[in-house]
Amino acid sequence: MSIMVVDMIVFGMAYVLLVYLVMTMIRPAHKPNKNRNDDGEGGVETVNPPKIDLPPGVIWPSDGPKTKKPAPTVEV
């Protein structure tokens, strides 16, 4: 066999080994006690949105007045 054929065989085996190692490393670990219902984000789940410090005079629409007062009538 020529040296080129030997090189192709060695590089092919190295490629297969490298692909196998990469695929086994990126595969998620299967733990028997793990709950699989999560969405994968991790961390602590917050139910309430964060409290943002707004500048003076600015309010959220949900914090504003609930009903509008009718405008005074204008006589012509």
Side-chain angles (χ1 to χ4, degrees):
M1 287 199 287
S2 73
I3 192 71
M4 188 171 181
V5 174
V6 173
D7 280 344
M8 294 295 279
I9 292 172
V10 170
F11 283 129
M13 290 190 316
Y15 177 75
V16 169
L17 180 66
L18 181 67
V19 168
Y20 173 75
L21 289 175
V22 168
M23 289 310 218
T24 55
M25 291 173 88
I26 65 171
R27 185 180 62 202
H30 297 290
K31 297 178 184 174
N33 299 349
K34 186 175 181 185
N35 185 4
R36 298 191 188 276
N37 295 342
D38 64 328
D39 56 358
E41 291 181 7
V44 178
E45 203 173 303
T46 58
V47 179
N48 298 333
K51 192 70 174 169
I52 299 175
D53 187 23
L54 296 173
V58 178
I59 61 170
W60 289 105
S62 60
D63 295 339
K66 302 297 180 202
T67 59
K68 276 188 165 180
K69 294 180 181 177
T73 57
V74 179
E75 293 186 24
V76 185

